[in-house]
Amino acid sequence: QVQLVESGGGLVQPGGSLRLSCAASGSIRSINAMGWYRQTPGKQRELVAAITSGGSTNYADSVKGRFTISRDNAKNTVYLQMNSLKPEDTAVYYCNADLILSLGVRRGYWGQGTQVTVSS
């Protein structure tokens, strides 16, 4: 059984920092791109940041210079370091991974989501 387990969300004051983690486990042969998305009530889920297996990254304009995505391929884990947080960063953050399973099947998976609240 394959799953993505997120951690690191919480309540932080404006200007503060949080680090999200997402670990993939199960019958995984390899992982292609991994990414973080976020969603607020009534809005579509949007891409925050993504990273390829080779380490190339891209970011939403709204988080450039404040957020950093990274991954540890040995641990099948992706991270999102969030600095200078703003109230508008408040959302549920979801991890996504493009996986090649042990049987050779390619499939995308989502984590369960972790709440990030930026408020004084």
Side-chain angles (χ1 to χ4, degrees):
Q1 182 179 359
V2 175
Q3 58 179 348
L4 302 182
V5 178
E6 300 152 350
S7 60
L11 173 64
V12 64
Q13 292 186 340
S17 298
L18 282 175
R19 188 191 194 208
L20 306 182
S21 299
C22 172
S25 63
S27 300
I28 300 169
R29 178 181 296 179
S30 62
I31 303 178
N32 294 326
M34 303 182 81
W36 290 94
Y37 291 71
R38 65 188 181 188
Q39 189 171 24
T40 55
K43 292 189 177 181
Q44 287 189 332
R45 195 171 295 186
E46 63 173 2
L47 175 68
V48 176
I51 185 168
T52 67
S53 57
S56 297
T57 59
N58 69 286
Y59 296 91
D61 288 342
S62 60
V63 306
K64 283 180 180 177
R66 299 188 298 122
F67 291 10
T68 302
I69 189 170
S70 61
R71 63 190 283 173
D72 184 333
N73 291 329
K75 296 181 178 180
N76 287 347
T77 299
V78 63
Y79 306 96
L80 185 67
Q81 178 66 44
M82 304 184 293
N83 298 329
S84 302
L85 282 161
K86 304 176 181 179
E88 50 263 43
D89 294 318
T90 296
V92 178
Y93 284 70
Y94 296 91
C95 172
N96 176 270
D98 179 16
L99 306 180
I100 305 297
L101 305 182
S102 58
L103 296 179
V105 175
R106 180 179 179 181
R107 182 177 171 185
Y109 282 82
W110 290 95
Q112 79 282 3
T114 185
Q115 177 70 47
V116 171
T117 302
V118 185
S119 176
S120 56

